[in-house]
Amino acid sequence: MSDDEPRISVMVVDDHPIWRDGVARDLTEHGFDVRATAPDADAALRIARTVRPDVVLMDLNLGTTSGVDATREITAALPSTKVLVLSASGEHKDVLEAVKAGASGYLVKSASAAELVDAVHRTAAGDPVFTAGLAGLVLGEYRRMADAPAEGAEPPRLTERETDVLRLVAKGLTARQIAERLVLSHRTVENHVQSTLRKLQLHNRVELARYAIEHGLDEE
C-alpha cells in the first residue's frame, strides 16, 4: 500500500478481550486503521454507526447476543460496510446463517495471520472470501435457493467476454487473477465487471457472484 493510499478501516467484534485485542493489534501492525473494538452485538451496532468502518470482523458467539443478528443490523444500517465473520465454528449452519444475514465472507479462527490480512483486503475490495472448504457449501446453497426464471422473462444479454469474467467471479477469483487467466489487463476486467453490474442491476462483486452461482455459471 502506498503512503498516499487511504488505509482500510476495521472494527473487531469479539466477546473475548484477549483475542479481540490481539486481532486488533495484529491488524494495526499490518497497516490497517483499527477504529474500534466491541464486546457484543449491541455495542457493535452502536459503535459501527459512529466509526463507519470499511470492514467489521465479526465473531458469531458473543455470549448472550448473536453475531448473526449484529451482521444483519450492521449491513442494513451501513450498506458500504462489509462484514467478515471470524469464528471458531465451521459448522455449515453457522456459515449459511451468516451469509444470509449479509456477511461478505467467513473465516475460521484457525486461519493464519497472513490469511486474515489477505481476507480483510479482499473483503474491503468487495470480493467474497471463505475459508477453504466452505466456499463450496455456500455455492451449493445458493444453487438450491435459486428460483426458476419467470416465464416469459428476458434475461439480460451479456457479451461472451462478460460471461467469461462472470464465471470466474463465481469461482472466487480476484480481478487480477481473472486478468491473468483470460490474458487481459486488470483495467479491462474491471470494466467488464462494472458493465455486468449495470446490466444486471447489481451493486457489488458479492451480489455478482451470487447471481452467477444462482444461474449455474460457476460450473464448467
Side-chain angles (χ1 to χ4, degrees), residues 156-177:
R157 302 183 72 86
L158 302 179
T159 67
E160 182 177 353
R161 185 57 84 191
E162 287 170 345
T163 302
D164 290 339
V165 171
L166 183 56
R167 194 183 304 278
L168 295 177
V169 168
K171 291 180 179 295
L173 274 66
T174 65
R176 294 194 182 279
Q177 291 170 328

Side-chain angles (χ1 to χ4, degrees), residues 64-91:
T64 59
T65 56
S66 166
V68 170
D69 290 340
T71 295
R72 185 178 296 108
E73 291 174 352
I74 288 173
T75 54
L78 304 170
S80 63
T81 294
K82 310 291 194 307
V83 175
L84 172 62
V85 171
L86 181 60
S87 174
S89 171
E91 293 293 327

Side-chain angles (χ1 to χ4, degrees), residues 68 72 95-103 141-142 145 210:
V68 170
R72 185 178 296 108
V95 178
L96 295 176
E97 284 186 352
V99 173
K100 290 174 183 176
E141 177 66 8
Y142 275 107
M145 290 170 59
R210 289 175 180 172

Side-chain angles (χ1 to χ4, degrees), residues 1 8 10 22-34 55 57 84 86 107-108 110-125 127 129:
M1 180 182 296
I8 296 170
V10 182
V23 170
R25 183 173 57 252
D26 287 346
L27 292 176
T28 299
E29 291 174 354
H30 281 87
F32 294 99
D33 174 15
V34 180
V55 178
L57 277 176
L84 172 62
L86 181 60
L107 208 62
V108 295
S110 58
S112 67
E115 289 172 329
L116 175 59
V117 168
D118 178 66
V120 175
H121 275 293
R122 291 184 60 190
T123 299
D127 294 329
V129 181

Side-chain angles (χ1 to χ4, degrees), residues 49-72:
R49 287 180 184 273
T50 300
V51 303
R52 296 182 174 272
D54 298 316
V55 178
V56 173
L57 277 176
M58 178 70 69
D59 188 20
L60 292 186
N61 185 4
L62 298 175
T64 59
T65 56
S66 166
V68 170
D69 290 340
T71 295
R72 185 178 296 108

